[in-house]
Amino acid sequence: MKRYLLSLLAVVLLSGCTPDDPAEPETRPEVQKEEREEVPDPTVEVEGTWAFAEMGADIEAPVGAENARYFIVSDRIAEIQFTRNDVPYRYQASQKEDLAGLSQGTQEAEGLEAMVGSSAIPIEGSGGRFSAAWRWGGTSYRLIADEQVDGQIMKSLVEELARETMPASV
C-alpha cells in the first residue's frame, strides 16, 4: 500500500513539471531582447524608385509587372520585388556592389544567354530557378526568379530590362 501511495504521489508531483506546459509563460532574460532589438534590418522598404536616385540606381519595374514593392538593401542595393505572370522576381541595381559576384554558386544554364546588341548576358540556374547579372557603366544589375520559370521567359525579361540600362548602340 505504501508503495502505491508513493507512486501516486510521485506521479502527481511530476505531472506539473513538464517543460512544454503552455500555461507557463516563456521566460527569457531581458538582455537577450535588448540585443536582438539593436540589430537593424538591412532591408528597408521605400515608396518608389525616387529613393534609388540617391544611390545612383535608375531602375523601373518592367511592363506587365504587378505588386511592385521597392527596397533598399544594406544601403547599397536598390531592389524592386514584383510578379509577372504569377512568377515573383527581384530586380536589383547597385553602384557599390558587384551583383554578379553575389550569385549563390549556381551554374550557367547551358545554352541560355540573353543578347542585347553585341553583349551576351549569361543566365545561371537550374530546375527553372534562374538569375542573370550584367554591368553597364558603373552600375551592376541582377534579375532573380524566385520560383520556377521557363528559361525563354527569363531570357526575354533579362533582354527587356538590359535594353533599358544599356545605350541603343551596344
Side-chain angles (χ1 to χ4, degrees):
M1 183 75 168
K2 273 187 180 180
R3 211 180 258 172
Y4 175 73
L5 287 175
L6 285 175
S7 296
L8 183 59
L9 181 62
V11 169
V12 170
L13 289 175
L14 292 176
S15 68
C17 296
T18 61
D20 296 326
D21 188 358
E24 290 288 320
E26 191 173 314
T27 57
R28 293 186 181 169
E30 290 299 317
V31 176
Q32 286 181 350
K33 285 183 183 178
E34 289 175 13
E35 287 175 10
R36 197 174 320 140
E37 290 173 4
E38 291 176 19
V39 178
D41 185 356
T43 303
V44 176
E45 188 165 6
V46 295
E47 290 296 318
T49 58
W50 60 268
F52 298 162
E54 295 174 18
M55 302 172 52
D58 185 22
I59 59 173
E60 296 283 338
V63 173
E66 298 175 340
N67 306 316
R69 295 176 63 195
Y70 306 91
F71 298 89
I72 295 178
V73 181
S74 299
D75 293 326
R76 304 177 71 76
I77 300 171
E79 178 176 284
I80 302 173
Q81 296 177 4
F82 64 93
T83 57
R84 185 165 161 178
N85 298 323
D86 297 322
V87 177
Y89 295 92
R90 288 179 285 148
Y91 179 33
Q92 301 174 327
S94 179
Q95 289 188 344
K96 299 175 183 178
E97 292 286 338
D98 177 12
L99 297 175
L102 295 178
S103 67
Q104 301 170 353
T106 56
Q107 295 181 345
E108 195 170 314
E110 192 171 322
L112 193 58
E113 64 182 13
M115 292 297 297
V116 178
S118 60
S119 298
I121 301 170
I123 298 175
E124 298 178 335
S126 63
R129 297 188 67 160
F130 298 104
S131 69
W134 65 97
R135 177 176 278 287
W136 185 256
T139 305
S140 182
Y141 302 90
R142 180 168 63 168
L143 177 67
I144 302 162
D146 286 325
E147 289 182 6
Q148 289 188 346
V149 64
D150 180 78
Q152 294 303 313
I153 292 172
M154 180 70 174
K155 175 184 172 186
S156 175
L157 184 53
V158 169
E159 289 172 344
E160 177 185 333
L161 294 172
R163 274 194 298 274
E164 293 178 8
T165 62
M166 297 178 175
S169 63
V170 173

